[in-house]
Amino acid sequence: MNSVRRVSLTQYLVEQQRAHGRIPGELRLLIEVVARACKHIAIAVNKGALGDVLGSAATENVQGEVQKKLDVIANEVLVEANQWGGHLAAMASEEMDSIHLVPDRYPQGEYLLLFDPLDGSSNIDVNVSIGTIFSVLRKVGHARGVTEEDFLQPGRQQAGAGYCVYGPQSTLVLTLGNGVALFTLDRETGSWVLTQDGARIPEDTREFAINMSNLRHWAPPVRRYIDECLAGREGARGKDFNMRWVASMVADVHRILTRGGVFLYPWDRREPDKPGKLRLMYEANPMAFIVEQAGGRATDGRRRILDIVPTRLHERVAVVLGSSNEVRRVTEYHQQAG
Ligand code: P6P
């Protein structure tokens, strides 16, 4: 952990602008607005049973999943916070069927914001870490009209990405293409304070993250990789492995960013027509950008996540990400399988 001088998110962004000259004012405003929204979501999450925020909202999202009250609250906080500032042209969310245009009464900006407002929401009622994931794209055209097609850009075109994990600490993780910085919420002052800059993921690891209950449904390359990990030092890998599965992508990715590891949510036979469970635009792409900026890798088992050209806003993708040498091995097993 690099020890860093205590600077606020605002000061960090200003210094990044001076150092790299690549953070336009609108992008800086966007990041600060999202960070403020995440602070409000953290406050709502931390209310727990003391606030009317737990349980089901008795509605379904575009994925056909029952929404939790906090899913809806978090989505509303992000939409309300971002639509008036003039930095965005439109937004897209896991919790909204179609894109959300900035209302005509507000000025439009040059950015598109995509988010999973509260990832891991099945963990809300059992008090396990959850989080917000966001991705920033530039609007390609310059006419006022924005359509879903404007969002369908490969992840390598992201202007920025981040997540906020609501756990024992609330931590905001951010990349604008010049490495990965971590900010911890100081609840006494209400500000995001830089607590690590230049986060790096170790190239090797002995820790994998996967939902083992799906073992019988996996394709052979994934089965081969996990079987070798489970065989430990007596097997082909010659070393023992540990396993973690929080079932909250933000928490699993944050652990990997902090100490290394490999995360897998592969295709499986339960729903063979779907390439995977996780969503490309607002889960896989932002996490892949962060992981690569920290020296890791992210593929769908064969292709670099950030090179995948989306065809639909809510499309799903298989995900293998984390320590580069392990992701490379899983990808090689897929390529060897043909
Ligand atoms: P499973 C949460 O619902 C999520 O989208 C990710 O955050 C998480 O990694 C995954 O699904 C957990 O899925 O099938 O293990 O419950």
Side-chain angles (χ1 to χ4, degrees), residues 7 18 39 63 99 159 174 189 197 214 235 237 253 294 302 305-306 321 324-325 338:
V7 298
R18 282 192 197 123
K39 186 168 43 176
Q63 329 288 342
I99 65 171
L174 173 68
T189 62
D197 199 3
N214 300 325
R237 301 300 307 275
V253 169
R302 297 177 187 279
I305 292 277
L306 296 184
L321 62 76
S324 56
N325 290 339

Side-chain angles (χ1 to χ4, degrees), residues 65 94 116 118-123 133 210-211 213-214 245-252 263 265 270 277-279 283:
E65 297 162 338
E94 180 188 65
D116 179 355
L118 208 57
D119 176 68
S121 48
S122 61
N123 284 318
I133 310 171
I210 197 167
N211 183 334
S213 69
N214 300 325
W245 188 249
V246 185
S248 176
M249 186 183 196
V250 173
D252 282 314
F263 171 99
Y265 211 113
R270 290 175 296 165
K277 173 180 183 182
L278 302 178
R279 290 81 175 180
E283 290 177 336

Side-chain angles (χ1 to χ4, degrees), residues 237-298:
R237 301 300 307 275
K239 60 183 180 179
D240 290 339
F241 280 76
N242 188 30
M243 193 208 92
R244 286 285 182 275
W245 188 249
V246 185
S248 176
M249 186 183 196
V250 173
D252 282 314
V253 169
H254 194 70
R255 184 190 58 255
I256 289 167
L257 185 68
T258 307
R259 70 185 192 208
V262 59
F263 171 99
L264 302 93
Y265 211 113
W267 170 92
D268 69 49
R269 291 184 185 83
R270 290 175 296 165
E271 295 186 279
D273 298 339
K274 289 181 182 174
K277 173 180 183 182
L278 302 178
R279 290 81 175 180
L280 174 62
M281 298 300 295
Y282 40 78
E283 290 177 336
N285 272 343
M287 291 307 200
F289 190 18
I290 291 164
V291 164
E292 286 199 2
Q293 282 289 310
R297 284 172 180 263

Side-chain angles (χ1 to χ4, degrees), residues 82-315:
N82 280 286
Q83 66 178 359
W84 51 268
H87 50 283
L88 283 188
M91 294 176 246
S93 165
E94 180 188 65
E95 303 303 333
M96 300 190 293
D97 295 9
S98 53
I99 65 171
H100 178 89
L101 298 178
V102 169
D104 288 340
R105 64 183 180 278
Y106 299 127
Q108 244 197 26
E110 291 305 305
Y111 292 99
L112 305 174
L113 179 66
L114 303 94
F115 45 85
D116 179 355
L118 208 57
D119 176 68
S121 48
S122 61
N123 284 318
I124 293 173
D125 297 343
V126 295
N127 200 14
V128 170
S129 296
I130 50 183
T132 298
I133 310 171
F134 64 91
S135 170
V136 183
L137 292 169
R138 295 175 186 84
K139 186 165 76 111
V140 286
H142 291 283
R144 176 155 180 114
V146 179
T147 65
E148 183 172 308
E149 281 63 40
D150 293 319
F151 282 80
L152 302 183
Q153 304 174 35
R156 63 174 178 270
Q157 291 179 199
Q158 292 173 97
Y163 63 81
C164 190
V165 51
Y166 310 114
Q169 310 100 41
S170 288
T171 301
L172 177 71
V173 175
L174 173 68
T175 186
L176 296 171
N178 298 298
V180 178
L182 284 68
F183 302 83
T184 301
L185 180 61
D186 179 339
R187 295 185 178 285
E188 289 159 19
T189 62
S191 61
W192 292 104
V193 178
L194 181 68
T195 44
Q196 186 179 354
D197 199 3
R200 301 298 292 174
I201 297 174
E203 290 181 344
D204 294 301
T205 183
R206 292 169 176 249
E207 193 161 71
F208 65 90
I210 197 167
N211 183 334
M212 286 297 290
S213 69
N214 300 325
L215 182 144
R216 66 189 183 283
H217 304 304
W218 296 332
V222 173
R223 183 68 190 264
R224 173 185 174 192
Y225 176 75
I226 297 296
D227 282 348
E228 288 180 356
C229 291
L230 296 174
R233 65 166 65 103
E234 292 79 29
R237 301 300 307 275
K239 60 183 180 179
D240 290 339
F241 280 76
N242 188 30
M243 193 208 92
R244 286 285 182 275
W245 188 249
V246 185
S248 176
M249 186 183 196
V250 173
D252 282 314
V253 169
H254 194 70
R255 184 190 58 255
I256 289 167
L257 185 68
T258 307
R259 70 185 192 208
V262 59
F263 171 99
L264 302 93
Y265 211 113
W267 170 92
D268 69 49
R269 291 184 185 83
R270 290 175 296 165
E271 295 186 279
D273 298 339
K274 289 181 182 174
K277 173 180 183 182
L278 302 178
R279 290 81 175 180
L280 174 62
M281 298 300 295
Y282 40 78
E283 290 177 336
N285 272 343
M287 291 307 200
F289 190 18
I290 291 164
V291 164
E292 286 199 2
Q293 282 289 310
R297 284 172 180 263
T299 76
D300 67 350
R302 297 177 187 279
R303 300 170 294 174
R304 181 183 178 229
I305 292 277
L306 296 184
D307 288 339
I308 296 174
V309 179
T311 55
R312 293 187 318 283
L313 187 63
H314 297 291
E315 78 181 65

